[in-house]
Amino acid sequence: MWASYLEQGGPLMIPVLAAWIVVLAGVIDRIIYAVGRGLRRPAIRVRAHASAGSLDRARDLADKERSRSRRGIGRIDSVSQLATSVGLFGTVVGIARGFVARGGSDDAAASLEGLAAGLSTALFTTIGGLVVFLFGQLALIVYREWLDACERGIDAVVGED
């Protein structure tokens, strides 16, 4: 089934598939980070250092956790947006392919097949690019909301805005 979609989408489905793999890997990485953060509970460690009077150490731990929490989200954002561009480029290529095939043939059935193949490329690359984009952006929205909630807890302990 998936091979059929890739075939119908044409050669531009390969970069869309590559974008899907990068975005999915990034989302899985952030899920693993979130689970690990839940197990490590850095806010407790930050709070312990702040309570012991070591506010500088607490801030260092908070900064280190902030840095770890933001790792890879730029890549998810950029690649998911790039997938949309590749999908839209596939739309243009597919429509052009369809009309070139339609205009170059005297046989009505052959020209309709060429038009259908071009429109298939246009639709499948657009859908593929949009699926990657929407998945990546939705995952980022959820992740950033969760991260903001976590950060508010740490910021309250170390006294940052």
Side-chain angles (χ1 to χ4, degrees):
M1 177 174 130
W2 295 107
S4 155
Y5 292 150
L6 287 174
E7 183 181 322
Q8 291 175 355
L12 286 172
M13 285 300 284
I14 294 169
V16 171
L17 178 62
W20 171 249
I21 291 168
V22 170
V23 168
L24 184 61
V27 169
I28 290 170
D29 175 65
R30 294 297 80 201
I31 290 170
I32 291 170
Y33 165 78
V35 169
R37 183 173 177 152
L39 296 173
R40 281 192 328 274
R41 300 188 182 264
I44 293 173
R45 289 184 18 221
V46 169
R47 190 173 294 117
H49 283 288
S51 302
S54 179
L55 198 54
D56 288 338
R57 178 69 179 139
R59 285 191 178 120
D60 288 344
L61 285 172
D63 290 342
K64 182 179 176 184
E65 197 62 40
R66 279 189 196 97
S67 175
R68 291 180 72 189
S69 69
R70 287 173 174 72
R71 192 177 307 150
I73 61 175
R75 182 177 26 251
I76 295 169
D77 188 31
S78 298
V79 173
S80 68
Q81 290 183 29
L82 182 63
T84 305
S85 299
V86 172
L88 293 175
F89 181 64
T91 302
V92 173
V93 168
I95 289 173
R97 179 177 148 196
F99 285 119
V100 166
R102 173 90 172 122
S105 175
D106 292 334
D107 181 18
S111 65
L112 285 178
E113 281 184 30
L115 181 60
L119 292 176
S120 175
T121 298
L123 292 174
F124 279 98
T125 56
T126 303
I127 291 168
L130 287 174
V131 165
V132 174
F133 173 75
L134 292 173
F135 175 78
Q137 295 301 307
L138 180 63
L140 283 176
I141 289 168
V142 170
Y143 180 76
R144 287 176 175 150
E145 289 297 320
W146 170 80
L147 192 58
D148 285 346
C150 292
E151 294 295 321
R152 282 191 297 272
I154 289 178
D155 289 345
V157 172
V158 295
E160 295 179 3
D161 293 326

